[in-house]
Every structure is written in C-alpha cells, then in structure tokens.
Amino acid sequence: MTRQEKVYDLVVLGGGPAGLTAAIYAARSLLSVLVVEQMLSGGQIATTEKVENYPGFPKGVGGMELGQLLEEQARNFGAEMVLSTIERVVATGDIKEIHTSEGIFRGRTLIVATGTRSRPLGVPGELELKGRGVSYCVTCDGSFFRDRTVMVVGGGDSALEEALVLTRFAAKVYIVHRRDELRATRILQERVKNNPKIELILNTVVKKINGRQAVDSVTLEDLAQNKQWDIEVDGIFLYVGMVPNTEFLNDGVLRNEYGYLVTDEGMATNLPGVFAAGDVREKGLRQVVTAVADGAVAAVSAVRYLDEITHREGNQ
Ligand code: NAP
C-alpha cells in the first residue's frame, strides 16, 4: 500500500522539535505515524548554529545535529517521513486530509506542529533586495559578509543571538531597535553590550533599504529626535518576530488574533482529533524545551483519543 492509500493513526505536520517528539511518542505507542515536513528536519533550529539552553547539552548542540538526532529517533520507532509542501488541510471529518505537493495523505488524528516563519519588516527595498543583501537567516547568509558592515533589526532573542554570530564574520554589526529597551534575555544583552564589534542604535526604525544591484545603505529614523539619516551597510538581517504557519488549515480551527492555534492543556484544538504543538500554538514561552514537551503531550492525547474511539466502536 502506498503512503497515499494508507490511513495513518497520526499525521504530524512539521518536522521540528515539537513534531518529531510527537512522532517519537506516538510511534513508541505503536501508532502508525507519518511526519510531513517541507524543508529540513529540525525546522527552525536547523538554521540555528547552536542551541545553548536545551537541557542535557552543557556545551550546547548544533541545531542541525539536534534535528537529525530527533529524526533518527522517530524513525527508529517506526515513524515515516515525507518531504512535501502542505497546500491544504481538511481537518473537520473523522479522517483528516492533508493535500500536499506529493498527493493527499490521510490520518485519523492530526498534530499541527508547523511552527512560525520570519515576519517581513514591510519597508521599501526589502522585497526588491531580498537575497541581495536582505536576509532573514544568519546561518544561511552570514558568511557572505566577511569583513563587511551589516545591520540586524530587532531587539528580541533572535536579533541579539544572530548579531553575535555575525560578529565572527563581519567587521561591524549595527543592531537597530525601535524602543530604548531590548526585549532579549539579560545574558544576550550583556554579551552584545560587551562586544566591541556591535553598535546598538535604539529608538530607531528602518524607513528604507537602498541599493540597485545589492544593498548599499539603509535609511533610519530616530523616533525621539524625528530625524532621518542613511547608514552604509552591505547587508541587513531582519529579526522582527515571527508569524505562525497556519494558513493551510481549514477555517474551523480556533486561532487567536495573531493566527496562533488555541489549545487546551492536552494540546487539543477545538476540532476532535486535531492537536497542536510547539511555536504554532498560543503559549507563553517558545523554546525547544517547551516545543518537545508540547509534542509529547499532544502525542499522548492523540493516543487517548484513538483509544476512546476504538472503545466506543467496540460498544456499538
Ligand atoms: P520576538 O521576541 O517577538 O522579538 C521581535 C523583535 O522585533 C522585538 O524586539 C520587536 O520590538 C521587534 N519588532 C517587531 N516588529 C517590528 C517592526 N515592525 N519594526 C521594528 N521592530 C519590530 O521575536 P524573536 O526574537 O524572533 O523570538 C521569537 C521567539 O523565539 C521568542 O519567544 C524568543 O524568546 C524565542 N527565541 C529564543 C532563543 C533562545 O532562547 N536562545 C533564541 C531565539 C528565539 P519590541 O521589543 O518593541 O516589541
């Protein structure tokens, strides 16, 4: 039977830490499990050089390596993986249908663990110069800026962490943040303030990214003094937050005002048999450690849901 003909006990959307942990727990409970991933196992952490705050790795662990280990562990328990782009999901019926670039997959339960993606800044020049100096990924593009001047936009953990990585390549790194206070954790703030290659520009927003063939400068506006000026840079990395990947889901699934999926403690959404785990879910702390915890809880909830259905069917 092909994957497209089979009805899996569980289909997991997304092969990041949440999705792969769900697959580990569900496959270990002997469910048939298919994980649909569109890029790389590990999800966002695969583009993070080092994960420093995941317990059990006192020296940190490479993001790509952690992703591969999670995938190996899921496969060892029998989970199947497929690489394809999710186009549309119909999650309302007893059998959930996942329409993808590789055909339709079906599951009796569904765990949505599709995470988030970078939010665009929405300024002139951003789209036009994307890939020619405008980037959303230091791990992917940082090494192109050896001995150059670059700018990072944002004041959260991602912006500061990636600015620090950039100092290994670049001669100078500006961090531009719209408020006078950074959002990132204290330890990152300390490291940034102590790094001689980094210059913080606070209370300032990006108005425009300039360049013809490639980025050559950025127009900034100082919000306190209401003045604009240009800074010459060779590249600009945008880390102004994330948006959840939920567009492909049918309308009936409850989302909050920002599009994050709303679940209960058991990771259940409002639709029977549909669970959510990791960054895509409305929650207070988006970390690998909370993503894997969500994945485990969601898988156990899916197992219980299937048990209840089997029990009910047996009593009919
Ligand atoms: P974030 O925490 O939402 O920070 C986004 C930053 O961009 C904020 O400083 C925000 O400013 C700024 N911003 C948003 N819209 C903007 C706009 N239009 N113009 C200018 N600036 C704008 O996002 P993140 O840093 O990507 O982190 C996402 C999640 O992953 C967080 O929960 C974070 O803790 C977690 N994370 C953790 C680690 C780690 O633990 N090592 C590493 C990376 C990410 P304001 O501060 O003014 O809102």
Side-chain angles (χ1 to χ4, degrees):
M1 203 189 283
T2 65
R3 285 178 175 159
Q4 286 81 354
E5 286 163 348
K6 206 165 156 179
V7 177
Y8 288 87
D9 292 326
L10 168 66
V11 176
V12 179
L13 305 184
L20 290 172
T21 305
I24 292 168
Y25 273 70
R28 196 165 175 270
S29 296
L30 304 181
L31 300 195
S32 56
V33 179
L34 179 72
V35 179
V36 184
E37 164 58 41
Q38 63 180 19
M39 286 265 283
L40 270 179
S41 57
Q44 271 182 69
I45 58 158
T47 59
T48 303
E49 190 168 280
K50 204 177 209 184
V51 179
E52 274 191 344
N53 50 3
Y54 188 57
F57 294 92
K59 296 192 178 94
V61 55
M64 182 88 85
E65 186 191 353
L66 184 57
Q68 284 165 354
L69 289 169
L70 287 166
E71 179 182 336
E72 188 184 333
Q73 200 169 354
R75 282 188 192 275
N76 286 349
F77 286 115
E80 295 173 33
M81 303 272 305
V82 64
L83 206 62
S84 64
T85 306
I86 302 160
E87 286 159 358
R88 191 162 61 86
V89 172
V90 184
T92 34
D94 287 344
I95 305 293
K96 326 296 175 198
E97 281 185 2
I98 299 93
H99 297 248
T100 77
S101 53
E102 299 297 305
I104 303 172
F105 301 107
R106 292 176 181 82
R108 297 165 70 207
T109 59
L110 184 68
I111 295 180
V112 183
T114 41
T116 56
R117 63 177 183 278
S118 304
R119 183 199 311 221
L121 187 57
V123 295
E126 177 179 6
L127 270 184
E128 297 83 341
L129 293 164
K130 189 173 167 184
R132 290 187 289 141
V134 174
S135 172
Y136 304 83
C137 177
V138 167
T139 310
C140 321
D141 302 325
S143 62
F144 297 131
F145 297 92
R146 208 167 285 277
D147 300 324
R148 303 290 187 86
T149 299
V150 291
M151 182 177 286
V152 174
V153 184
D157 286 334
S158 299
L160 270 63
E161 203 165 78
E162 302 305 327
L164 286 160
V165 174
L166 271 172
T167 59
R168 268 193 257 138
F169 309 105
K172 170 99 188 166
V173 180
Y174 294 104
I175 298 179
V176 172
H177 180 44
R178 63 182 176 184
R179 288 186 297 133
D180 60 359
E181 203 185 336
L182 295 164
R183 176 185 291 275
T185 51
R186 291 267 160 228
I187 187 165
L188 290 171
Q189 293 195 29
E190 285 309 309
R191 285 184 198 166
V192 157
K193 282 172 188 159
N194 293 330
N195 192 307
K197 281 191 178 177
I198 298 181
E199 183 177 332
L200 270 173
I201 304 177
L202 298 176
N203 268 322
T204 298
V205 292
V206 171
K207 296 301 283 182
K208 207 153 50 93
I209 303 171
N210 312 306
R212 277 177 169 275
Q213 301 293 87
V215 170
D216 53 38
S217 72
V218 173
T219 305
L220 298 178
E221 180 175 309
D222 182 319
L223 295 175
Q225 298 177 27
N226 232 340
K227 72 162 199 214
Q228 288 196 5
W229 79 104
D230 285 1
I231 286 194
E232 283 186 15
V233 295
D234 302 295
I236 177 165
F237 289 84
L238 303 173
Y239 283 100
V240 292
M242 315 300 289
V243 282
N245 296 317
T246 56
E247 293 79 2
F248 49 81
L249 268 177
N250 53 281
D251 284 346
V253 191
L254 193 63
R255 298 154 161 95
N256 73 8
E257 58 183 314
Y258 305 108
Y260 289 93
L261 300 180
V262 178
T263 68
D264 65 11
E265 283 249 317
M267 307 299 140
T269 69
N270 59 315
L271 293 185
V274 180
F275 305 86
D279 284 5
V280 74
R281 196 171 78 79
E282 179 180 62
K283 64 196 287 193
L285 181 65
R286 295 198 168 82
Q287 295 277 310
V288 181
V289 75
T290 58
V292 300
D294 282 4
V297 173
V300 171
S301 295
V303 171
R304 287 197 187 128
Y305 171 85
L306 289 170
D307 282 349
E308 274 165 29
I309 287 184
T310 313
H311 186 71
R312 230 180 292 146
E313 285 170 355
N315 283 343
Q316 275 171 7

